[in-house]
Amino acid sequence: RSMQDMLLSRPLDSPTDPKLDLIAHANDWASTGSVIGSLAVYFVVKLALLAFAIVLPIPCGFLGPIMTLGAAGGRFFGEVFVMWGLVNDSVRPEAFAIAGAAAFATGMSRALVTPLLFFEMTGQINQPFSVFVAVITAYLVGDKLSLSMYDTLGVIGSTFSLRQFNRADAMS
């Protein structure tokens, strides 16, 4: 449900619709005082839980939590930029959430097809140029700083990594 909240065009501090929630106001982002504070706490807790889930010796999915984490980070920056007046009225905070989710997933997985998957899954194609700029930037920065998530899991789990193989080794 939180991923849907990040992508909605309504402000996060507006009351939720009890018909949509199983528990009324369960997703009220302003209950802790401010939306920005709630988003920051949500991002940190979600990041810690994702890191914990990744190192557990049980299989789990990564793409959904990574996209939710990226959407929370993007929505956080969108809310901050709107609050400070750094963007005009045509740019909404949910556009930052879309760019954040696609960029975070691309930076973690190094898969450039991620924004297309995200556009297909959500049906929201708001400001595609900014999303693609964020994705390319995340790809380049992530490639310079660390291995991809899948290569890192291969190293942790002592399994093979495609980066271990040379072209000459494959030919012989």
Side-chain angles (χ1 to χ4, degrees):
R1 177 86 182 126
S2 60
M3 181 69 162
Q4 291 174 342
D5 286 344
M6 302 298 160
L7 301 176
L8 288 176
S9 60
R10 69 170 173 80
L12 289 179
D13 58 353
S14 67
T16 56
D17 185 1
K19 295 176 188 173
L20 299 177
D21 291 330
L22 296 176
I23 301 171
H25 303 286
N27 292 320
D28 191 2
W29 288 90
S31 62
T32 59
S34 73
V35 172
I36 294 172
S38 295
L39 284 170
V41 169
Y42 177 81
F43 184 84
V44 170
V45 170
K46 188 78 169 174
L47 181 64
L49 291 175
L50 178 63
F52 181 69
I54 287 174
V55 298
L56 288 176
I58 56 175
C60 63
F62 299 124
L63 191 59
I66 286 172
M67 285 186 150
T68 303
L69 190 60
R75 184 74 187 230
F76 173 81
F77 282 107
E79 294 287 344
V80 168
F81 288 171
V82 167
M83 182 181 71
W84 288 345
L86 297 175
V87 293
N88 59 17
D89 292 338
S90 66
V91 179
R92 305 277 310 147
E94 65 271 8
F96 284 89
I98 293 168
F104 202 80
T106 299
M108 294 284 290
S109 66
R110 306 300 191 286
L112 288 174
V113 72
T114 307
L116 300 177
L117 291 173
F118 192 72
F119 289 150
E120 182 67 29
M121 287 185 335
T122 63
Q124 296 199 18
I125 306 179
N126 297 339
Q127 302 169 344
F129 180 73
S130 60
V131 171
F132 287 123
V133 167
V135 163
I136 295 296
T137 304
Y139 179 85
L140 295 174
V141 169
D143 205 34
K144 292 291 182 194
L145 295 180
S146 67
L147 294 173
S148 76
M149 174 183 61
Y150 299 109
D151 289 336
T152 303
L153 288 175
V155 171
I156 290 172
S158 299
T159 59
F160 74 92
S161 171
L162 292 178
R163 292 184 185 241
Q164 294 173 348
F165 296 107
N166 293 332
R167 188 177 198 97
D169 294 339
M171 296 297 201
S172 45

